Amino acid sequence: MQETYDIAVIGYGPTGVTAANLLGALGLSVVVLERDTDVYSRARAISTDEEVIRIWQRTGLADRLKEDMLAERPLDFVDARGRTFLSACPTPRGHGHPPQMFIYQPALEQVLRDGVDRYPNVEILLRHECLRLVQDTEGVELTMLATADDSVRRLRARYVIAADGGSSLTRAQLNVGYEGRTYEDRWVVIDTKMLKPWPDHDRLRFRCDPVRPAVDCPTPLGHHRWEFPILPGDDEKHLTTDDAIHTMVSRYGIGRDQIEILRATVYSHHVRFAARFRVGRVFLAGDAAHAMPPWIGQGMAAGVRDAANLCWKLAAVLRGELPETVLDSYETERKPHVREITRRAVFTGKIITERRLPVARIRDTALYAVRGLSGISKRLVDAHWIPVARYAKGFLAHPRAKASGRQIPQPWVTGPDGVRVRLDDVLGGRWLLLHGGLPVPQPAWDRSGVPSLAVLAAGSRPAEGAVVDSDGVLLAWMARHGAATLALRPDAFVYAAAPRGDRLPQPPAGFAPAPSHIGHIGQGAS
């Protein structure tokens, strides 16, 4: 075993395995510590979104992952009588994938783990638990217990990503507070195998019954999920038995011959944020940094976004391309977005779980009244669903432009060879200047060796150093944001923008991109 690494990742759930794929593709030496032997068998997350699939596209795994997902399924809010009072499909945000997809988490994690096997520079240590971290000016020493033989081992890493869950031992060792609250209601989560389909089994329903609310959710690969609250007076242990579960789902016409109960688990909802996401060379990510209720399916997604924001910055610092101060922007950029997602999840949960009968009647009547009005339902759902990621502060040029801090859309484009590809497969996870039309000289950026890419209008002839905006999406977005030239970060967020005829703000201080690392993340393999 190599004893010194660039990055140590603690935890091998969705956040940790995403980080392992991204860092592996970036060529860094990585070690992953995971206390369990295999993928956790319980399906916790049940959905993801287009931005997260776009991140997995950078690992070359998006299309394989989508084979095991359900896309384009509507969501309904249903009253106690089974009437739908609010129905919509989330609006696409332009990331090049379906806006919401239902997943079966154990299968998803296995595909991501198989992806890590592509990288000999990533070492996986299962049944290893991190007991202690000690930082110095050069790195972090990790003391770990190998539970297979109870031996204690040590290794060093330049930086550590702690993705070890809501009960993170790393966060506790760092003495970082985990602020927020745990809701009194506990819920039983039931995973089943669907034996005989029933009408509309592939629709997500939030059953807003004040007597006992429920989540009724399709999951792929022949599975189905229910969630029910444990009410005052309920016997929690009994509620997880097969008899109790069949009784609860029979209210919706589901017979014993239609499902096989795989497992039932009780859990509590949390709203918590780590006081800090960074302590020296250690970074908290995923549930170790934040926890939210499950109502809009963003707990896992938030962790994947953490990994995507952090990994390219760590790689840039380790290569000497950017100063270490860029790592402070991780929390600055991620925490506001996580807080906003959590706020929306809490709001949605209040709609679903309202137990006061008079308030529930007002809710049902009001929302049912607007249900038939054109576009109202869709706007209501979009207003309280997943917020667009935009960084108001962080690693961005000054002065700010309208496009700054936004992630550009990912349309299909036509490359120089005349083949249609997704935009990110051309961008290649690198710093890049994107020009709306013929490139305008940008001396400071050109001296840094940042390549340029021209965006040509639909119908143009393919050309070297250019892509054709085949569907007219990219040029329209740039025009809408008053930008003729964009300086893109490796995560496709806009670092700087300039209108036609103007020069971009200067590159960041200490910027020295390495050409040898340009364009090898997931290209052509998504």
Side-chain angles (χ1 to χ4, degrees):
M1 185 183 73
Q2 180 182 333
E3 298 295 332
T4 303
Y5 301 84
D6 291 323
I7 309 286
V9 179
I10 304 174
Y12 206 32
T15 302
V17 74
T18 297
N21 273 286
L22 292 169
L23 296 168
L26 287 162
L28 301 179
S29 63
V30 180
V31 62
V32 180
L33 309 182
E34 168 56 50
R35 64 185 179 185
D36 292 327
T37 305
D38 208 341
V39 171
Y40 192 47
S41 61
R42 184 167 69 83
R44 293 151 290 168
I46 55 175
S47 70
T48 192
D49 64 73
E50 58 189 300
E51 184 187 349
V52 173
I53 300 294
R54 185 176 181 179
I55 291 167
W56 286 329
Q57 181 187 332
R58 289 167 52 194
T59 72
L61 298 173
D63 288 340
R64 170 63 188 88
L65 287 164
K66 288 195 294 185
E67 291 176 8
D68 294 338
M69 297 181 182
L70 295 175
E72 309 294 350
R73 298 303 196 272
L75 60 94
D76 296 334
F77 290 78
V78 180
D79 66 16
R81 290 183 287 172
R83 296 189 312 168
T84 298
F85 61 80
L86 187 63
S87 181
C89 290
T91 302
R93 300 283 175 78
H95 292 288
H97 299 282
Q100 183 176 47
M101 305 190 75
F102 294 106
I103 66 169
Y104 185 62
Q105 186 174 340
L108 179 144
E109 288 191 40
Q110 188 60 59
V111 172
L112 290 170
R113 289 191 179 194
D114 291 344
V116 175
D117 291 342
R118 297 171 295 177
Y119 303 113
N121 49 310
V122 179
E123 188 164 3
I124 309 299
L125 300 180
L126 301 176
R127 300 185 67 183
H128 282 70
E129 185 167 6
C130 182
L131 301 177
R132 186 166 179 256
L133 301 101
V134 178
Q135 301 191 53
D136 55 40
T137 57
E138 299 297 324
V140 185
E141 181 177 276
L142 296 88
T143 302
M144 57 188 177
L145 173 67
T147 58
D149 58 8
D150 288 333
S151 62
V152 175
R153 306 163 71 179
R154 289 179 177 84
L155 58 84
R156 284 185 61 83
R158 296 281 300 281
Y159 295 97
V160 173
I161 299 175
D164 49 346
S167 57
S168 170
L169 292 176
T170 308
R171 188 185 62 242
Q173 289 184 61
L174 297 171
N175 199 29
V176 173
Y178 204 41
E179 304 157 354
R181 60 173 293 195
T182 295
Y183 287 80
E184 292 180 4
D185 288 347
R186 287 165 62 77
W187 286 66
V188 58
V189 178
I190 303 152
D191 291 316
T192 71
K193 188 79 173 176
M194 186 168 58
L195 304 177
K196 295 181 181 179
W198 52 90
D200 293 331
H201 64 86
D202 57 351
R203 296 179 76 94
L204 168 61
R205 289 185 179 84
F206 294 116
R207 298 188 178 273
C208 308
D209 184 347
V211 174
R212 190 188 295 273
V215 178
D216 178 352
C217 182
T219 47
L221 304 176
H223 294 84
H224 201 88
R225 161 81 68 85
W226 279 278
E227 301 181 14
F228 297 96
I230 298 172
L231 304 179
D234 282 341
D235 181 337
E236 183 175 301
K237 186 175 181 181
H238 172 70
L239 216 59
T240 60
T241 64
D242 286 5
D243 284 344
I245 291 167
H246 282 299
T247 298
M248 288 189 290
V249 302
S250 68
R251 299 176 62 194
Y252 313 123
I254 310 301
R256 287 177 175 264
D257 62 336
Q258 291 180 281
I259 58 171
E260 175 189 349
I261 299 168
L262 300 178
R263 60 190 63 85
T265 307
V266 175
Y267 73 94
S268 300
H269 293 168
H270 305 278
V271 175
R272 297 195 179 275
F273 303 94
R276 291 181 288 167
F277 286 10
R278 177 188 185 186
V279 179
R281 292 176 171 270
V282 182
F283 299 83
L284 302 176
D287 287 354
H290 42 74
M292 68 184 72
W295 305 115
I296 58 175
Q298 284 293 297
M300 179 190 73
V304 172
R305 289 187 179 93
D306 291 346
N309 185 284
L310 182 57
C311 286
W312 74 266
K313 294 174 182 176
L314 286 169
V317 170
L318 286 164
R319 293 173 182 153
E321 298 172 357
L322 288 170
E324 192 179 40
T325 52
V326 70
L327 300 177
D328 290 330
S329 68
Y330 165 59
E331 179 175 338
T332 303
E333 293 178 351
R334 287 295 305 133
K335 203 167 196 176
H337 189 248
V338 171
R339 284 192 179 277
E340 177 59 19
I341 288 177
T342 303
R343 185 192 67 79
R344 297 189 186 196
V346 170
F347 178 86
T348 303
K350 288 179 179 177
I351 294 177
I352 297 166
T353 62
E354 179 57 62
R355 302 283 311 284
R356 295 167 295 177
L357 286 170
V359 177
R361 291 192 188 102
I362 293 171
R363 173 202 65 195
D364 299 350
T365 302
L367 292 177
Y368 194 80
V370 303
R371 180 172 179 262
L373 300 178
S374 176
I376 295 293
S377 292
K378 192 175 189 64
R379 287 199 294 274
L380 280 172
V381 171
D382 285 344
H384 298 288
W385 215 243
I386 304 162
V388 175
R390 188 200 175 188
Y391 303 140
K393 298 178 181 179
F395 185 54
L396 307 168
H398 295 280
R400 296 281 306 278
K402 186 178 179 181
S404 299
R406 299 179 187 270
Q407 191 172 32
I408 62 169
Q410 184 189 209
W412 288 86
V413 296
T414 303
D417 55 2
V419 176
R420 275 173 61 87
V421 294
R422 293 188 179 99
L423 177 65
D424 284 6
D425 291 340
V426 180
L427 301 182
R430 52 182 170 164
W431 283 91
L432 190 76
L433 300 187
L434 204 61
H435 301 271
L438 295 177
V440 175
Q442 303 287 339
W445 290 87
D446 295 338
R447 284 194 299 271
S448 295
V450 176
S452 287
L453 188 67
V455 182
L456 307 179
S460 300
R461 183 187 299 273
E464 194 65 33
V467 294
V468 178
D469 187 16
S470 312
D471 299 329
V473 171
L474 200 50
L475 289 173
W477 187 92
M478 294 174 72
R480 206 160 53 245
H481 291 86
T485 305
L486 303 172
L488 297 181
R489 309 185 329 182
D491 56 359
F493 278 82
V494 176
Y495 175 81
R500 190 165 303 283
D502 282 7
R503 287 186 178 178
L504 292 165
Q506 294 291 306
F511 183 52
S516 61
H517 297 295
I518 282 175
H520 67 284
I521 302 178
Q523 279 192 280
S526 62

